[in-house]
Amino acid sequence: MAEPHRVRDALRASMTAWATLTVRDDQARVTLAPDLDVLAPQLDAIDPGWSLTWACDHPAPPIVRARLSVLGATREGLATAHTLQDAKLAALADLARSYGVTPTSDPVWVEYDPEDGANTSELETDTPAPRPAAERPLPPQPPRDPQMEKARRHIEDLLEQLKVAGRGGDAARILMRGYGETLEESRAIYKELHALLKG
């Protein structure tokens, strides 16, 4: 049985990073997002087998899809931002919304320097303690396809082998577009990764 409230609390506690959504001259529009360095150890405690994958739907401007799997439940977020890294953070923030976690403030405009980036030093990132609001039920999960689950496990096993072989970076580039939406796409990705392992 998934415990979505634990994932929700982990996401809420990690809302300490800033994603730059847009830049206009010397101003940047930023939004609060989960910090992976804070989130990862908390997810490890909830489910050592959790996974987070990214898919780049469009390179410029970057549109990124984040897919988080924890305790057998998978949720996705989609966002666009100023850079690929910012889009990944914004997609994670969008994913957090599916767990009922929203930023404590709306996106804000701050000073922007091309070398130093957005100046978020004076912005508050303190996340308030969870309000004792009534638990909102999460949206129902789509039905799971056993074949797709099996294909995903095969890809993840192969990914571990590639990491051991020192080819994790090359594998990550292949997986930027995800694990595939259909069985055929997943098989094609598996073949591409397998060819990489054979080198």
Side-chain angles (χ1 to χ4, degrees), residues 165-188:
R167 303 298 302 270
D170 297 326
R173 281 188 278 284
I174 292 170
L175 291 173
M176 270 303 283
R177 61 182 184 267
Y179 286 32
E181 297 299 319
T182 65
L183 202 52
E184 291 73 29
E185 287 176 14
S186 292
R187 285 183 177 143

Side-chain angles (χ1 to χ4, degrees), residues 53-57 63-67 76-79 87 91 176 181:
T53 56
W54 313 95
C56 185
D57 288 7
I63 300 174
V64 170
R65 185 180 308 274
R67 179 178 290 161
E76 280 194 355
L78 181 69
M176 270 303 283
E181 297 299 319

Side-chain angles (χ1 to χ4, degrees), residues 105-165:
S105 69
D106 291 329
V108 293
W109 287 93
V110 296
E111 291 178 359
Y112 179 81
D113 180 278
E115 288 183 16
D116 299 329
N119 180 8
T120 58
S121 59
E122 294 180 17
L123 297 177
E124 291 290 325
T125 59
D126 292 336
T127 52
R131 288 187 289 265
E135 285 280 316
R136 287 190 309 211
L138 292 169
Q141 284 291 100
R144 299 169 92 182
D145 180 346
Q147 293 285 14
M148 284 296 288
E149 294 289 324
K150 189 175 177 184
R152 177 178 296 278
R153 281 195 302 275
H154 285 308
I155 289 172
E156 286 170 354
D157 290 344
L158 194 51
L159 183 57
E160 286 305 312
Q161 293 175 45
L162 284 161
K163 284 179 185 173
V164 170

Side-chain angles (χ1 to χ4, degrees), residues 13-28:
S14 70
M15 293 288 269
T16 58
W18 291 96
T20 301
L21 301 177
T22 53
V23 171
R24 191 181 304 146
D25 300 323
D26 62 348
Q27 297 284 305

